[in-house]
């Protein structure tokens, strides 16, 4: 059933936070930054996303395919647009379907962009405005394609944590890696309790994929 | 296959840390203590353990049935032996099979024990000694019963975290509740990275049950 697919009904675009996380709740290892994007040991978080396992490939493909627009923070933008960042083989579903528009939350837009082949929007008026801009883009793309596309918050961790605490996240998609990083960037730092409802759980060789609705 | 069940083979007693945890890695909510054992909001961690769901009942039953001995810290002992603690209906598998011996790690044993119907041992020489004492008990019980029983570390969080960092934990059994507690007692605080291998994942209505081997 497609809840937004009937005639006259609005498209059903959800705000999904999608991120890989360790058992100790970290989305990077210690000392993340340029040249060490996921922090020390943090590459273990993404083993599943770079594996050849067909089920893990399917999950990457489906996440990419449902992305009507992607929101990211400025630090993450600097990493992916930096010299060690995305290229033709490593990127947001670079080897998969589609190239969604990207919305970057930043205090001041960069002077130039390396990845000019992608569709970048820089929002300087805060996270809610960035999510609203991404929602517009995702809804327009949904209408064009005739199927529901989502807004995906890809990170970093602080952006997703802030969005969660601001009540902007409708669905939390966690890829739980079998690793304790010891320290790093925690996903949940806001001190705010949240009750969630698990909608699916899917164990693949390198992670456990958990989809929660945020109440 | 029973790896320790062949003639002439030693019993296969594993050291299992078994604990319920929130998505933000907490094993209690904020302000745990007498009268508020799991901290504020922390009861959501144990919804699965007190549900009527047959699969969740089965998991509680199996955990209890495999417990050859149980290790706990002094603060947790004070809670379960305290006035609001365990009784005939709430306890370590009180309504389920068996009553394993309990080994408490403490600087000084209590002057008296309320739950005299249970088998308590107080170890004052540290966690490794407590685990060794529990292993002896579990192995003796395994030999008596002719099936493999484990040492279960039931908590609190600090005890399990310390045991993990000391390399004492062979298997980590996490019951992941669909809740973000915001603050409370984190399970992983040692700053030590660990690589694990997931042996099973089991989604029930109120939790996701994840069994990891600690490498």
């Amino acid at each position: 059933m497609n809840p937004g697919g009937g005639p006259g009904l609005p498209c059903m675009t959800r705000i999904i936070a999608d991120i890989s996380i360790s058992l100790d709740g970290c989305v990077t290892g210690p000392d993340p930054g340029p040249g060490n994007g996921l922090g020390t040991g943090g590459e273990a978080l993404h083993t599943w996303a770079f594996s050849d396992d067909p089920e893990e490939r399917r999950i990457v493909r489906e996440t990419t395919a449902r992305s009507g627009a992607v929101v990211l923070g400025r630090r993450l933008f600097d990493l992916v647009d930096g010299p060690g960042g995305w290229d033709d083989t490593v990127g947001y579903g670079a080897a998969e379907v589609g190239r969604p528009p990207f919305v970057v939350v930043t205090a001041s837009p960069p002077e130039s962009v390396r990845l000019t082949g992608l569709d970048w929007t820089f929002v300087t008026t805060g996270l809610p405005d960035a999510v609203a801009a991404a929602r517009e883009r995702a809804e327009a793309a949904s209408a064009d394609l005739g199927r529901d596309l989502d807004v995906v918050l890809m990170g970093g961790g602080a952006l997703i944590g802030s969005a969660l605490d601001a009540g902007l996240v409708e669905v939390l998609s966690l890829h739980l890696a079998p690793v304790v990083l010891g320290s790093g960037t925690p996903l949940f730092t806001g001190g705010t309790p949240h009750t969630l409802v698990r909608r699916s759980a899917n164990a693949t060789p390198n992670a456990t994929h958990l989809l929660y609705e945020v109440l």
Side-chain angles (χ1 to χ4, degrees), chain A:
Chain A
M1 197 186 82
N2 179 344
L9 289 177
C11 269
M12 183 77 177
T13 288
R14 303 171 302 173
I15 312 296
I16 300 188
D18 190 292
I19 198 156
S20 297
I21 187 168
S22 66
L23 290 175
D24 50 341
C26 288
V27 298
T28 78
D31 305 317
N36 195 31
L38 286 165
T40 303
E43 68 282 353
L45 294 169
H46 286 201
T47 303
W48 74 270
F50 293 105
S51 89
D52 291 331
D53 178 76
E55 181 68 1
E56 294 177 339
R57 300 284 358 124
R58 185 190 63 75
I59 291 170
V60 171
R61 203 163 52 238
E62 286 189 4
T63 301
T64 311
R66 78 170 183 225
S67 301
V70 174
V71 179
L72 64 163
R74 176 59 186 274
R75 247 176 311 182
L76 184 52
F77 166 79
D78 285 344
L79 284 173
V80 304
D81 196 54
W86 289 352
D87 55 29
D88 285 345
T89 56
V90 176
Y92 191 87
E96 310 293 344
V97 285
R99 299 205 164 200
F102 294 90
V103 177
V104 181
V105 191
T106 179
S108 60
E111 295 194 357
S112 67
V113 172
R114 178 178 66 87
L115 296 164
T116 50
L118 299 177
D119 176 349
W120 298 102
T121 301
F122 298 91
V123 170
T124 56
T125 49
L127 184 54
D129 284 351
V131 170
R135 187 192 280 275
E136 261 182 44
R137 300 293 299 267
E139 286 176 348
S142 299
D144 281 353
L145 286 174
R147 62 186 175 86
D148 293 341
L149 298 176
D150 297 317
V151 170
V152 176
L153 310 186
M154 72 171 286
L159 181 139
I160 290 183
S162 303
L164 196 64
D165 285 339
L168 293 168
V169 177
E170 294 164 8
V171 176
L172 184 59
S173 172
L174 296 180
H175 309 281
L176 188 65
V179 65
V180 174
L181 290 171
S183 64
T185 310
L187 179 58
F188 304 102
T189 54
T192 313
H194 298 279
T195 301
L196 304 96
V197 177
R198 195 194 56 226
R199 292 305 181 198
S200 70
N202 186 7
T204 62
N206 297 292
T208 311
H209 310 272
L210 300 162
L211 197 71
Y212 294 95
E213 189 179 331
V214 183
L215 296 189

